[in-house]
Amino acid sequence: MEEHPAHPEYDDGDALEHQLRPRFLRDFLGQEQVKSNLQVFITAARERNESLDHVFLSGPPGLGKTTLATIMAHEMQADLRVTAAPALDKPKDLAGILTTLQDGTVFFIDEIHRLKSSLEEMLYVAMEDFEIDWVIGQGPSARTLRVPLPRFTLVGATTRPGMVASPLFTRFGIPVRLDYYRRGDLEAIIRRSASILEVSIADNAVGLLADSCRGTPRIANRLLRRMRDFAQVLGNGTIDGDIVREGMRRLNIDEYGLEEQDRQILRTIVEMYGGGPVGAETLAISVGEELDSLEVFYEPFLIQQGLIQRTARGRVVTSRAFEILGLPVPDEIPGRDSGGPIQSEDQRFLF
Ligand code: ADP
């Protein structure tokens, strides 16, 4: 049962996305280490007739966190309940769900970094002891009732693992970090989706799409559907290299997968801040973007592509960014003396 859309893009507002979402681990392509480890934990739990340990999923949007939660429920032959932290306002909202779960139910909370601290306390006890304390009445006559819960599996997902409080994070037995997908895996995902959508696609078109989708399956699927439209209206129905090149040109996506806003971010750092360093908040204002979407959507991909670096003093562009923008690479890249890249805080993850 699905309570709320996990986030506005939960199904991309499109029933087709639902059709493309893998239901079992064998259909979840790429992320081999994550997949093989999860397979072990799922098999072990099933053999012992236990529920799966709580799972923490982190990674940029569109990499498969919701999909993995769905898969875990299917593989465990258990129910799935889906919500997002912003939809949980009062303790009774959370208690109302927890008390109606069953043994083994996979309870998915998206954007878990946005969970109110008053609810975190309840979740700690629920995760660890499978019970909650419920206060009945008010004032001096109030008393606390201990309500036992079934042995559910909490799957918490976030694009901002650094914002999740340590006491919450450490209660997850299986912390998983998803990273951008490799080209070969994206190609496999595009081929699988094309076959579900029953659209024919040429080999070179698969490669071009894989290069343009920011290492993100959701974007790969979305671009595939747009290319299907272009192929149908502008071509003969087959997605070939020419269709993809024309489609990408019309969608303002370049051969590196950069959108106009990515290029704008790079140009702004170069032109307004001499290549950096510039603080994230200042940069967000300069490009007219929410800080959150700069940090969660744009920046991680630009960093992964080696176009910007996060340093102690702010963001700096790399020589590759100058090349991509068609600008002469300066002898000295500005900001390079600013302490080097900051290491990510992700040592906390199992795999
Ligand atoms: P997230 O919850 O991380 O934002 P989703 O789980 O909603 O991402 O994934 C977006 C879409 O991408 C899914 O509906 C699914 O179709 C596709 N997808 C994600 N990961 C994979 C994968 N490993 N293999 C195949 N398709 C995938």
Side-chain angles (χ1 to χ4, degrees), residues 17 20-22 28-29 62-67 181 217-218 221:
E17 188 58 41
L20 298 178
R21 194 187 286 281
F28 190 84
L29 305 167
L63 295 197
K65 297 182 292 299
T66 311
T67 304
Y181 285 64
R218 177 185 291 132
N221 284 342

Side-chain angles (χ1 to χ4, degrees), residues 6-7 9-12 16-22 24-31 35 57-71 108 110 157-159 178 181 185 188-190 192-193 196 216-222 225:
H7 46 70
E9 294 198 325
Y10 178 54
D11 268 338
D12 274 2
L16 280 179
E17 188 58 41
H18 189 67
Q19 203 184 336
L20 298 178
R21 194 187 286 281
F24 292 95
L25 263 186
R26 62 173 177 275
D27 305 318
F28 190 84
L29 305 167
Q31 311 280 354
K35 213 166 45 178
L57 298 172
S58 93
L63 295 197
K65 297 182 292 299
T66 311
T67 304
L68 274 180
T70 315
I71 287 175
F108 178 65
D110 202 6
T158 180
T159 50
L178 295 179
Y181 285 64
D185 298 329
I189 290 171
I190 292 164
R192 173 181 176 274
S193 298
I196 294 172
T216 304
R218 177 185 291 132
I219 299 180
N221 284 342
R222 184 187 292 159
R225 298 199 315 260

Side-chain angles (χ1 to χ4, degrees), residues 190-191 194 197-206 208-209 223-247:
I190 292 164
R191 285 184 204 284
L197 297 175
E198 296 180 359
V199 57
S200 83
I201 180 162
D203 286 343
N204 64 340
V206 172
L208 285 172
L209 270 184
L223 290 178
L224 178 69
R225 298 199 315 260
R226 297 293 73 80
M227 296 308 125
R228 181 174 69 152
D229 295 341
F230 286 124
Q232 183 185 322
V233 175
L234 306 178
N236 61 7
T238 293
I239 303 174
D240 59 22
D242 288 342
I243 289 286
V244 174
R245 274 184 285 269
E246 174 62 12

